[in-house]
Amino acid sequence: MKYNSPWIKVLNKRNILKIVHENRPVSRSEISEITGLTPSSVTRITKELIEEGFVQEIGSEGKNSPGRRRILLDIKNNAFLSLVFDVGVNVTTYGLGYFDGTVSLGGSFETPRAPEKFFMKVREIFEKYSLDNKISRVSLSVPGMVNMEENRILMAPNLGWRDVSINEFLQLGVPILADNEANLSVLAEKYHSEDMKEVKEAIFIVVREGVGTGVLIDGKLYRGPTYTAGEAGHMTVDMRSNRLCHCSNKGCWEFYASINWAIEHYEGKLEGKNAIEKFAALKKREDSRKVLEKLAQNIAIGIVNIVNILNPEIVILGGEVQDLGEYFYRIVQEEVKQRALKDATKQLKIRPSIFGTISSNLVGAAVLAVENIIENVR
Ligand SMILES: [Zn+2]
């Protein structure tokens, strides 16, 4: 392949757009420095990116020469919108995703049990949003395994979905993307968190009705050859257990580390239509401390196994436990420190997700759409 073949030009263009994304606002000379491309190539490619609506010029005061304006490049936030869905076992939340990987919340609905009904609802919302917006991607966070190559939900056990071909149910004239919720959560953290910028190995644990993990290795999401990587919720933590999991194993970690465990082991009665509502009620009870402390220990046991295998720099907890406060995280940290390999915990950080009202899953779905847009720039 020749050095300045059209394909190399496309790759350079995608690379520059990625650099603007990651370093914004950034000057043309900085881009030239980072990429090693000549200033004239950078000027030519950024001109295209501006004309195509990806990038915009903004002015800024120069750091060393006050008063002198420097032209900087930033992404155009509203240029590309995605419609993002956080498919929950009970409730699905949706919103609008922007080109900077942020989300504005739209609304929510009860997740229909039948996939065809669910996708009808997605179509309805897509059509509603399309009246006022140009939606360029639909992106779904799924509580299960997704074969991204075939756009197929392999299994979403807590929803009872198996082998659901998204493209068969839904065609909207724009690409429809989907990935596992924990994968998207680690993607969202990598994209938005200050302490993740230099991190190459990280784990995100989503604690909801089930437990899922997203695995970042060498700075990239690790999905595995058949898209089942990170299903740590189904690692065996009780070899003698007879309790059968829907994954067909027995004694899975998620029996002990999910919100369902806490609800089952709390001695009082809890109001709520579903596990999420019941757990929210549990968290408000003054006498729930004991069961939550035990939950923290159960979560820590799984983290010990993961940390001993993968030696991550950061373990992030999200889902329904992320707002449980310092005491909860202290128990997790202490238990992990006590049990895991000493060298594996030396620099290990365990913290809650930075995302709150707008879930890491939903933000991750927006980031997935952004990555897909950049990967398809021509
Ligand atoms: Zn299982």
Side-chain angles (χ1 to χ4, degrees):
M1 203 179 273
K2 268 198 217 156
Y3 175 67
N4 41 4
S5 70
W7 181 238
I8 297 284
K9 208 202 107 192
V10 166
L11 292 182
N12 284 337
K13 195 169 169 186
R14 288 176 192 170
N15 193 27
I16 288 180
L17 185 52
K18 218 171 149 229
I19 287 165
V20 176
H21 237 104
E22 285 167 5
N23 301 278
R24 66 178 185 266
V26 62
S27 71
R28 288 182 175 82
S29 58
E30 283 166 331
I31 294 174
S32 179
E33 248 170 61
I34 297 169
T35 57
L37 292 168
T38 62
S40 67
S41 303
V42 172
T43 302
R44 185 171 41 78
I45 294 172
T46 51
K47 185 169 173 267
E48 275 184 33
L49 288 170
I50 291 168
E51 282 167 1
E52 287 160 21
F54 292 102
V55 167
Q56 60 183 344
E57 283 185 337
I58 57 167
S60 160
E61 298 289 325
K63 267 191 209 135
N64 303 320
S65 48
R68 204 175 136 229
R69 275 170 67 82
R70 225 161 45 115
I71 300 294
L72 295 174
L73 298 171
D74 200 347
I75 54 163
K76 230 171 154 179
N77 212 10
N78 289 328
F80 292 87
L81 298 173
S82 58
L83 189 58
V84 291
F85 291 83
D86 175 6
V87 185
V89 173
N90 295 295
V91 176
T92 295
T93 313
Y94 60 90
L96 212 48
Y98 299 95
F99 199 39
D100 66 352
T102 60
V103 169
S104 68
L105 265 187
S108 62
F109 56 89
E110 257 182 56
T111 311
R113 275 288 165 270
E116 56 266 38
K117 286 206 175 124
F118 170 78
F119 287 111
M120 254 159 61
K121 193 82 191 154
V122 171
R123 174 187 299 281
E124 203 179 282
I125 293 165
F126 175 79
E127 283 166 359
K128 202 180 94 197
Y129 268 84
S130 295
L131 295 175
D132 304 315
N133 306 282
K134 190 180 177 309
I135 305 292
S136 67
R137 298 288 186 282
V138 169
S139 186
L140 310 171
S141 158
V142 178
M145 292 160 249
V146 182
N147 180 330
M148 296 179 79
E149 216 174 328
E150 296 172 6
N151 224 13
R152 190 180 285 279
I153 298 170
L154 299 172
M155 183 165 86
N158 289 305
L159 273 170
W161 293 1
R162 259 167 214 274
D163 201 25
V164 174
S165 164
I166 296 172
N167 297 344
E168 271 173 35
F169 282 106
L170 194 63
Q171 275 171 12
L172 298 168
V174 301
I176 301 161
L177 315 169
D179 197 359
N180 169 272
E181 60 181 10
N183 288 352
L184 292 177
S185 294
V186 81
L187 208 61
E189 289 277 349
K190 177 73 185 154
Y191 196 83
H192 288 288
S193 299
E194 267 319 303
D195 66 355
M196 286 282 285
K197 291 276 182 273
E198 307 296 325
V199 164
K200 295 226 188 283
E201 274 75 34
I203 306 294
F204 193 107
I205 303 172
V206 178
V207 178
R208 279 173 149 185
E209 294 92 336
V211 176
T213 59
V215 179
L216 195 78
I217 293 181
D218 201 19
K220 289 196 195 87
L221 243 174
Y222 180 71
R223 295 184 172 98
T226 51
Y227 299 92
T228 65
E231 284 298 329
H234 301 289
M235 71 178 147
T236 313
V237 292
D238 184 354
M239 284 200 300
R240 310 274 170 251
S241 169
N242 282 320
R243 190 169 167 194
L244 193 64
C245 181
H246 43 59
C247 76
S248 76
N249 186 19
K250 288 171 189 167
C252 291
W253 182 36
E254 72 173 34
F255 278 144
Y256 305 89
S258 66
I259 61 170
N260 290 337
W261 183 91
I263 293 165
E264 280 164 27
H265 288 78
Y266 176 71
E267 277 168 10
K269 198 178 149 22
L270 296 165
E271 298 290 322
K273 286 199 298 288
N274 52 52
I276 303 271
E277 287 182 17
K278 282 182 182 161
F279 191 69
L282 183 147
K283 284 192 278 191
K284 285 189 202 127
R285 297 286 179 84
E286 271 177 25
D287 61 351
S288 66
R289 185 74 170 241
K290 225 170 90 188
V291 80
L292 290 173
E293 284 176 359
K294 192 80 200 14
L295 179 67
Q297 285 172 347
N298 293 355
I299 289 172
I301 299 296
I303 296 176
V304 169
N305 294 342
I306 296 169
V307 163
N308 283 350
I309 296 170
L310 292 174
N311 188 198
E313 290 165 74
I314 299 191
V315 172
I316 304 165
L317 279 174
E320 306 309 312
V321 298
Q322 73 181 61
D323 57 353
L324 274 174
E326 239 187 284
Y327 81 94
F328 187 85
Y329 285 85
R330 217 175 23 247
I331 294 170
V332 175
Q333 281 155 357
E334 277 166 13
E335 192 81 20
V336 171
K337 214 164 178 181
Q338 224 175 64
R339 288 174 176 257
L341 296 168
K342 296 298 158 269
D343 284 312
T345 54
K346 241 182 222 163
Q347 292 167 12
L348 177 68
K349 186 172 177 181
I350 301 175
R351 65 159 171 85
S353 171
I354 59 163
F355 300 100
T357 348
I358 299 180
S359 71
S360 52
N361 316 16
L362 208 54
V363 175
V367 174
L368 183 72
V370 169
E371 285 191 346
N372 187 268
I373 287 163
I374 295 175
E375 278 161 21
N376 284 287
V377 163
R378 293 242 133 221

